[in-house]
Amino acid sequence: FQMLDGINEHHVVVNTNVVPKDYGSTRSVPKKKRLDTVSASMIVRYILDNFTRAKQAVEYIRDYVTVYFPKALHDLEYECHYMVADLTSTYVLEFVRNEAVVIDISNKPYMTNFFIYGVNFNDDGTVYTPETQDDIHNAMATNLITERGSGLERYNYSANNYSTADNVEGMRAVLEGLKYTSAYLSSEHVSNPYWYTEFVGSRGL
């Protein structure tokens, strides 16, 4: 029933990632009449069955689709966002405050389980985390960390190592490295917040 990723005959690729539900939507509320209503758990299949280009897919969903997140996801306090790519472009589709947001990430085509809409990036494509923040670059003020979910360490690792993943061996090495990124202990303190861990569940780490 649910596909987490896939590719169709037109080389359109879709990947799914989970994020904490706090920042996303319970349901995208349309500003205009939508043509379709699609469960978030079926978006991958919907895109692969109906579209030949990544841009066409994400813009259609943004403009003409009401997406709802099943109760089971909300009971687990998760929502989803999606990376959609083809041979020439890559996009992330996120649901922010009840609206579908399309982000062109063709120059950095990777995604982890935190929202990138509105995030401020360093020149090298990484984002501020508790261990890299300072008086000028404060993780809380810069990236709204209480609303951004998890996976920042993995995102930064991807940003730093993406250029080496241009063949099978390089991609395998990057994936191996992603298995060993940092996790912080549960804490309310800004320098060590639980929401920067690789675990998106409760705080009992």
Side-chain angles (χ1 to χ4, degrees):
F1 176 78
Q2 180 178 3
M3 295 174 63
L4 297 179
D5 55 23
I7 183 172
N8 69 15
E9 66 273 26
H10 305 288
H11 308 113
V12 174
V13 177
V14 188
N15 296 297
T16 305
N17 237 328
V18 294
V19 288
K21 74 175 185 179
D22 307 39
Y23 190 68
S25 65
T26 55
R27 183 183 179 94
S28 62
V29 180
K31 291 181 178 178
K32 63 183 83 171
K33 183 179 180 181
R34 308 292 193 182
L35 302 179
D36 301 312
T37 299
V38 181
S39 166
S41 60
M42 291 295 288
I43 285 291
V44 173
R45 182 65 183 265
Y46 181 85
I47 290 174
L48 297 178
D49 285 353
N50 290 284
F51 297 98
T52 61
R53 298 293 302 274
K55 182 177 182 181
Q56 173 194 27
V58 294
E59 290 182 349
Y60 185 89
I61 290 173
R62 180 192 63 197
D63 296 338
Y64 298 109
V65 174
T66 297
V67 175
Y68 66 93
F69 291 89
K71 183 177 183 298
L73 272 178
H74 276 278
D75 287 347
L76 294 170
E77 299 188 345
Y78 296 153
E79 287 186 352
C80 298
H81 62 179
Y82 309 88
M83 184 167 70
V84 187
D86 57 28
L87 293 174
T88 61
S89 56
T90 306
Y91 301 88
V92 163
L93 179 65
E94 297 180 344
F95 296 90
V96 179
R97 297 192 176 100
N98 296 325
E99 288 297 327
V101 177
V102 173
I103 307 157
D104 188 335
I105 61 165
S106 297
N107 63 329
K108 46 178 183 288
Y110 38 81
M111 175 183 74
T112 61
N113 51 316
F114 85 107
F115 288 94
I116 63 174
Y117 173 76
V119 166
N120 293 296
F121 294 92
N122 297 310
D123 291 339
D124 62 1
T126 60
V127 295
Y128 303 129
T129 64
E131 63 183 356
T132 61
Q133 75 176 12
D134 53 36
D135 292 338
I136 299 174
H137 306 121
N138 180 279
M140 176 71 83
T142 304
N143 285 325
L144 303 175
I145 54 180
T146 57
E147 298 179 327
R148 289 297 159 190
S150 308
L152 295 192
E153 288 84 6
R154 290 191 297 127
Y155 191 93
N156 285 345
Y157 185 90
S158 299
N160 287 325
N161 293 279
Y162 173 75
S163 63
T164 67
D166 57 354
N167 55 49
V168 173
E169 292 75 19
M171 179 61 74
R172 183 177 291 114
V174 170
L175 293 175
E176 280 294 315
L178 288 171
K179 290 163 53 175
Y180 303 108
T181 51
S182 301
Y184 296 94
L185 295 176
S186 175
S187 173
E188 295 295 333
H189 193 273
V190 63
S191 66
N192 194 25
Y194 81 95
W195 45 79
Y196 270 104
T197 71
E198 302 306 314
F199 179 69
V200 297
S202 69
R203 302 186 185 193
L205 302 181

